[in-house]
Amino acid sequence: MFWDKDKNYSKRKASEFNAWRTFLQILVCKYFYGIRLKFVYRIEVHGLENVPKDNAYIVCPNHLSTLDPPMLAAVFPRRISFMAKKELFDIPFIRWWLDWLGAFAVNRESLGPSTIKTVMEIKKSSWVFGIFPQGTRGEYGTITSVTKGFAGLAKITKCAVLPVGVIGTQEVKKWPFSGKIIVRIGKPIPYSDNTDEVVEKWIDAIQELTGFKYIPQSEEEKI
């Protein structure tokens, strides 16, 4: 069961966000990663009061490293189901690990119907959906490669977009108190039929929360 190569890892049902996956994410992220975050990275979290009490929101952080998903799962009050690129589910152990931590596979080139259905199923559960609007890891100090998919999913699912600014995860640290991570949670951005407006508000919020500079795609090509 744990190594089912034929399973469609892009599809999730609300029932799959069960007690076992909840327990595993809490154990791995809040406890194992939590110790590392506290004693190695001296993590600071600001703005938890901005997190809605229900689960009608999408966690939308900037993206710096592979540490971001478990770190965010550690600090948020609800469990988070993040997208992961489908290629990772071709690797047996990683496939099992991501599956049981609640992640699901996605084709980053095209968010198909299965993605929309899965996000709707997450909303039916007690979990929340998480997506990195940049699509891939960015360079420290800049906000690049922002896509509109998150705003479209917010519109379809009638979920607010919760901007989260992440600073400091790009540096791998091993020694106690050698790192510094700051997480700033902004105020929810209501979903809208105007997805361009939601994208602009997210970019503005992340710039304010991180101090990073947004670089439009036209300027990215010149770098």
Side-chain angles (χ1 to χ4, degrees), residues 17-162:
F17 298 99
N18 52 33
W20 286 111
R21 284 191 171 88
T22 297
F23 170 77
L24 187 60
Q25 191 175 105
I26 290 174
L27 178 66
V28 171
C29 298
K30 279 195 175 291
Y31 288 95
F32 293 165
Y33 274 96
I35 292 171
R36 180 184 174 195
L37 291 166
K38 183 176 181 180
F39 292 104
V40 175
Y41 288 98
R42 299 175 297 153
I43 188 170
E44 291 182 9
V45 182
H46 306 275
L48 280 171
E49 67 276 7
N50 293 325
V51 179
K53 301 300 182 185
D54 59 19
N55 72 333
Y57 63 94
I58 299 174
V59 179
C60 295
N62 62 302
H63 197 12
L64 295 175
S65 80
T66 55
L67 180 59
D68 295 338
M71 181 271 294
L72 290 162
V75 303
F76 264 75
R78 288 181 181 268
R79 304 305 97 234
I80 306 176
S81 176
F82 278 104
M83 288 180 174
K85 61 182 181 180
K86 62 184 180 65
E87 291 80 6
L88 291 174
F89 286 81
D90 294 332
I91 307 169
F93 177 76
I94 294 179
R95 175 171 64 240
W96 175 85
W97 187 246
L98 292 173
D99 180 23
W100 280 95
L101 284 177
F104 64 98
V106 65
N107 181 348
R108 293 192 299 187
E109 301 299 322
S110 176
L111 301 181
S114 61
T115 301
I116 296 171
K117 290 178 182 178
T118 294
V119 176
M120 294 293 289
E121 289 293 313
I122 294 170
K123 190 179 178 183
K124 294 177 185 177
S125 74
S126 62
W127 289 43
V128 293
F129 169 54
I131 182 175
F132 295 99
Q134 291 172 267
T136 186
R137 285 170 282 175
E139 293 292 330
Y140 183 81
T142 63
I143 304 166
T144 57
S145 306
V146 179
T147 62
K148 297 181 181 180
F150 75 101
L153 288 170
K155 173 185 173 182
I156 293 169
T157 59
K158 293 180 169 51
C159 283
V161 167
L162 190 66

